[in-house]
Amino acid sequence: MQRIRFFDIAKGIAILAVILGHSAIEANLCIPHRAAQVAISLCFSFHMPLFFMLAGYFMHPERAFRWVKESRQLLCTYAVTALCVLVGVTCMATLHHESRALALQTWGMTALYGNGDVSNLTLWPVGFRIGAIWFLLAMFWARLLLHIFAKLPHTVFWVAACFAFGYISSRYVCLPWSVQSGMCAVAFLYLGYLAKKYDVLGRVKRIPYIWVAALLIWIIDVVSFDGMSMAMNDYGSHPVLAVVGSMAGTLCVIGVSQLLDHMLLGGGAQ
């Protein structure tokens, strides 16, 4: 199977944005600075939505859900990575002459809950967050849900209702295994699927002014940014702008990736 090189470049940019965004958060906590705040606004406005939308671009939800493949790629990867975390914290507890049993208990509960961030709305106390691998659990639920909705009439209604339920319910309770994050992420998967189905990139190429509109929307979203975390279903005080802005930002990053592919790598697929 041939790879579309500019999509790989876009994913690389998003990975760098994840690193930069979280580094900027830590830097801003130590010494608040406008540059760090801009970096946070820019990176968090698009990086996780981009991953889900690109995943949706290559989905075939009309087909049967491949339980074995999806479980192996996502759930097993989560379990193995969580196990590595447990081994790591046990080693650190040993080095610092702390209780290994307590470390295993605390982080074991964290791994079991699968929460992307700390919350006081969990069903039982969870002291830490499992971190970036929440994405694996959310992706599993999102892909499963989209396969279900694609076989129902009025798919767009079910996707929107799922997003709304995940978003609203997370205000009152934080369910384990990043279920609610997956419920919201299904909308981004669906957007990616629709983008391929209706050849959005081809349409944009024929109407280049769309790039300008996307860039302006993305700038407005970044300037108005007041927080976005797909891990916790937090889309700030302007959730509609956050979602539309993430779509515009993803389109702009893909456009930049296409330029880089053409200028530096000669274009085409490999």
Side-chain angles (χ1 to χ4, degrees):
M1 181 181 296
Q2 288 188 329
R3 298 188 66 87
I4 302 177
R5 214 159 45 190
F6 63 80
F7 279 148
D8 287 337
I9 295 173
K11 290 177 184 177
I13 293 173
I15 291 171
L16 293 175
V18 171
I19 297 171
L20 175 60
H22 285 84
S23 298
I25 289 176
E26 297 300 322
N28 199 54
L29 289 174
C30 296
I31 306 176
H33 194 279
R34 180 58 181 167
Q37 295 165 6
V38 170
I40 294 169
S41 301
L42 180 65
C43 294
F44 278 82
S45 69
F46 81 93
H47 60 43
M48 294 312 302
L50 182 145
F51 285 121
F52 284 103
M53 280 188 264
L54 289 190
Y57 190 90
F58 295 100
M59 278 189 67
H60 297 279
E62 68 281 357
R63 301 176 183 173
F65 185 71
R66 295 176 293 185
W67 285 94
V68 174
K69 181 180 179 181
E70 300 289 353
S71 298
R72 184 177 66 250
Q73 290 184 342
L74 298 171
L75 299 185
C76 289
T77 301
Y78 176 87
V80 170
T81 308
L83 181 61
C84 291
V85 170
L86 295 180
V87 172
V89 298
T90 302
C91 293
M92 292 300 297
T94 301
L95 290 173
H96 290 91
H97 304 289
E98 298 173 349
S99 172
R100 289 189 295 268
L102 180 59
L104 279 173
Q105 179 184 358
T106 304
W107 280 97
M109 190 63 67
T110 298
L112 178 63
Y113 212 89
N115 211 22
D117 205 346
V118 177
S119 172
N120 59 1
L121 299 176
T122 52
L123 297 178
W124 58 81
V126 179
F128 298 101
R129 58 183 179 183
I130 196 57
I133 57 174
W134 69 269
F135 172 83
L136 298 169
L137 297 176
M139 180 66 79
F140 177 83
W141 296 118
R143 293 175 73 92
L144 174 60
L145 288 168
L146 185 54
H147 273 272
I148 294 172
F149 297 151
K151 296 173 179 60
L152 299 176
H154 312 297
T155 299
V156 65
F157 167 79
W158 293 107
V159 169
C162 185
F163 181 96
F165 184 83
Y167 176 77
I168 295 173
S169 65
S170 62
R171 312 273 80 79
Y172 302 97
V173 61
C174 179
L175 297 176
W177 311 316
S178 293
V179 172
Q180 290 153 303
S181 297
M183 295 180 72
C184 288
V186 70
F188 295 98
L189 281 183
Y190 189 57
L191 288 170
Y193 167 73
L194 293 178
K196 183 174 184 179
K197 181 178 180 179
Y198 294 105
D199 189 25
V200 168
L201 293 181
R203 293 172 185 269
V204 171
K205 188 175 181 180
R206 294 189 295 269
I207 311 174
Y209 293 110
I210 295 178
W211 294 115
V212 178
L215 179 59
L216 290 176
I217 293 172
W218 191 22
I219 291 173
I220 293 172
D221 180 35
V222 172
V223 171
S224 306
F225 185 85
D226 59 354
M228 179 174 179
S229 170
M230 287 190 67
M232 301 303 293
N233 296 319
D234 179 11
Y235 294 86
S237 57
H238 306 287
V240 174
L241 177 60
V243 172
V244 175
S246 68
M247 295 165 56
T250 294
L251 187 59
C252 289
V253 171
I254 290 175
V256 170
S257 301
Q258 289 176 320
L259 285 175
L260 290 173
D261 185 25
H262 180 75
M263 294 170 58
L264 302 179
L265 303 174
Q270 64 177 12

